[in-house]
Amino acid sequence: MIFFGSIPRYRILAQRLKKVIVKSMKYIVESIQNSEFEVAGHEIEFKEGKEYPPIVFELKDGKRVEITGKIDRMDIAKTPQRKICTYYRL
């Protein structure tokens, strides 16, 4: 088995990868800290018997399509004009 530190080429690639990951994490944390978004919830389920009902569409032929699922994270930003909702799957 080859480890990242065992071959100079892999060692350099691992160092570059580490720099990219650290820089990305700093950017994400800084963005969250300076954001107007507030966490509205985690693992929000929408299906029968849960906090939110499923999303249901009735087709022209009378058949029903029911969408159920789970939102990993929901954020809401409140501005004077409106509320902006987005979600992240992390």
Side-chain angles (χ1 to χ4, degrees):
M1 180 179 230
I2 298 174
F3 293 96
F4 282 118
S6 63
I7 297 175
R9 178 177 159 199
Y10 290 142
R11 191 171 31 249
I12 290 169
L13 288 174
Q15 289 169 350
R16 287 182 185 166
L17 181 60
K18 182 179 177 182
K19 284 181 184 179
V20 168
I21 291 171
V22 168
K23 190 174 185 176
S24 297
M25 292 305 298
K26 285 180 180 178
Y27 174 77
I28 290 169
V29 168
E30 189 175 298
S31 295
I32 291 170
Q33 288 174 338
N34 296 319
S35 173
E36 296 296 323
F37 286 93
E38 295 178 10
V39 177
H42 296 280
E43 301 295 321
I44 300 167
E45 290 186 76
F46 52 102
K47 65 180 180 181
E48 209 60 52
K50 294 297 179 179
E51 185 177 357
Y52 298 98
I55 299 167
V56 180
F57 297 97
E58 190 160 330
L59 305 177
K60 290 180 183 179
D61 61 4
K63 293 181 183 178
R64 287 177 40 149
V65 175
E66 187 174 290
I67 301 174
T68 63
K70 190 183 289 189
I71 299 172
D72 294 327
R73 174 179 163 167
M74 184 184 303
D75 295 341
I76 294 179
K78 297 175 185 172
T79 66
Q81 297 82 17
R82 60 190 169 135
K83 288 184 181 180
I84 302 168
C85 180
T86 185
Y87 77 93
Y88 300 99
R89 183 177 179 108
L90 301 174

